[in-house]
């Protein structure tokens, strides 16, 4: 481990804090316990500086002492959990979306409901023939997208009825749903099946399948999808991807629960 170096006159640098963090980092699976001399040697600190850091961490509960040996306590996990709690849903979802993209070789994304629209909050594009301009921050009418319908299916009856009462079903393609009764039937089907396929209703040549992402209480908070070119994948192929998409969603849910804590 390199010795800490501080620029002369850097008044914003708290050296004692930096030393404490360096001390924590010298403990690992190969070295769960260390003596004062070990810590000083591993960090490049003097014995006096290493001792002050260890005793401070000991008083704060991050380090335990057994004779001449020191080790970390479970309280140090709080430092990692603080980072996890600061992560947003898109940051948590992105690694799972990347894994799914590499698995199916198609574009993956995550959206949330914002009013009557879906907003893309994470997207991992795959190389392909899809030319639709969709990026993080793109907004689309919920009724015309697979992710939007999954999110609408997650609304309670009153909220969904309110949506049906105000939505203007503008045709985006010749396949776009135009009747609220038909949309209601579609949403009921999504609630039963747990996924939704949309075939060229948002944009000609674009097909997508989506599943819900839920929080610990079971409420739908986002939707994950796979988008494909209509000329490259049939509807049966798209439906066959549902289990892998559900596995991706389950991974996102598990990480979100980890962030939320007990």
């Amino acid at each position: 481990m390199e010795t800490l170096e501080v620029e002369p006159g850097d008044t914003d640098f708290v050296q004692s804090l930096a030393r404490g963090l360096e001390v924590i980092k010298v403990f690992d699976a190969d070295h769960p316990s260390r003596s004062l001399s070990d810590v000083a040697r591993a960090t490049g600190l003097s014995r006096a500086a290493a001792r002050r850091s260890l005793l401070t961490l000991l008083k704060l509960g991050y380090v335990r002492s057994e004779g001449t040996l020191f080790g970390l306590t479970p309280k140090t996990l709080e430092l990692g959990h603080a980072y996890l709690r600061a992560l947003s849903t898109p940051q948590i979802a992105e690694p799972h979306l990347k894994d799914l993209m590499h698995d199916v070789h198609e574009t993956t994304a995550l959206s949330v409901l914002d009013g009557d629209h879906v907003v893309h909050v994470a997207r991992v594009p795959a190389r392909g023939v899809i030319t639709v301009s969709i990026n993080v921050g793109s907004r689309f009418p919920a009724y015309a997208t697979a992710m939007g319908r999954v999110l609408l299916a997650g609304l309670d009856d009153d909220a969904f009825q309110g949506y049906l009462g105000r939505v203007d079903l503008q045709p985006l393609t010749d396949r776009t749903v135009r009747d609220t009764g038909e949309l209601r039937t579609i949403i009921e089907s999504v609630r039963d099946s747990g996924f939704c396929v949309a075939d060229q209703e948002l944009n000609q040549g674009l097909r997508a399948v989506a599943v819900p992402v839920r929080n610990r209480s079971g409420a739908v908070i986002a939707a994950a999808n796979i988008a494909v070119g209509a000329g490259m994948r049939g509807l049966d192929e798209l439906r066959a991807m549902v289990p892998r998409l559900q596995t991706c969603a389950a991974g996102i849910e598990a990480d979100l629960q980890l962030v939320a804590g007990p």
Side-chain angles (χ1 to χ4, degrees):
M1 182 174 293
E2 297 180 358
T3 303
L4 292 172
E5 295 183 2
V6 184
E7 292 292 331
D10 187 352
T11 58
D12 293 326
F13 189 87
V14 182
Q15 191 170 55
S16 59
L17 173 60
R19 287 171 173 171
L21 294 174
E22 292 298 316
V23 167
I24 289 175
K25 287 160 59 178
V26 302
F27 297 96
D28 54 28
D30 294 327
H31 306 91
S33 298
R34 285 185 181 269
S35 67
L36 172 59
S37 297
D38 289 337
V39 172
R41 186 164 45 250
T43 57
L45 298 173
S46 66
R47 281 178 56 88
R51 180 177 179 276
R52 287 195 296 271
S53 292
L54 283 168
L55 292 180
T56 299
L57 292 169
L58 183 65
K59 290 181 179 180
L60 291 174
Y62 292 108
V63 164
R64 55 180 169 75
S65 174
E66 297 178 359
T68 60
L69 297 178
F70 296 88
L72 299 181
T73 71
K75 189 176 181 180
T76 55
L77 293 174
E78 293 178 359
L79 302 175
H81 286 162
Y83 165 73
L84 289 174
R85 286 192 294 269
L87 289 176
S88 65
T89 299
Q91 289 173 304
I92 292 170
E94 189 167 319
H96 298 279
L97 294 174
K98 284 182 178 179
D99 288 344
L100 179 61
M101 185 276 289
H102 289 303
D103 181 22
V104 300
H105 306 290
E106 299 290 355
T107 296
T108 60
L110 187 83
S111 285
V112 297
L113 194 62
D114 182 21
D116 295 342
H117 291 73
V118 291
V119 179
H120 277 60
V121 295
R123 186 171 184 268
V124 181
R127 294 181 180 178
V129 297
I130 297 179
T131 58
V132 182
S133 180
I134 300 176
N135 301 294
V136 171
S138 294
R139 296 168 58 89
F140 301 103
Y143 65 84
T145 69
M147 285 195 285
R149 292 172 179 176
V150 163
L151 292 165
L152 291 175
L155 297 177
D156 62 34
D157 291 338
D158 288 343
F160 181 56
Q161 187 60 39
Y163 172 82
L164 288 180
R166 65 178 179 271
V167 67
D168 181 15
L169 300 179
Q170 291 290 324
L172 304 178
T173 74
D174 59 3
R175 296 171 180 261
T176 307
V177 62
R178 303 184 188 188
D179 178 76
T180 54
E182 182 183 355
L183 179 59
R184 181 193 296 277
T185 299
I186 291 171
I187 297 304
E188 289 174 352
S189 176
V190 173
R191 287 172 173 167
D192 290 339
S193 67
F195 71 93
C196 180
V197 172
D199 183 16
Q200 305 179 76
E201 294 192 51
L202 175 66
N203 188 281
Q204 198 71 37
L206 180 67
R207 289 174 173 154
V209 60
V211 301
V213 175
R214 302 177 185 272
N215 62 16
R216 178 171 293 176
S217 65
V220 176
I221 58 171
N225 92 330
I226 299 170
V228 304
M232 302 298 293
R233 299 270 195 176
L235 293 177
D236 288 342
E237 289 182 278
L238 204 54
R239 292 188 184 96
M241 296 180 186
V242 169
R244 284 176 282 186
L245 183 55
Q246 290 173 328
T247 298
C248 172
I252 296 171
E253 291 171 350
D255 281 357
L256 286 173
Q257 290 189 20
L258 177 63
V259 170

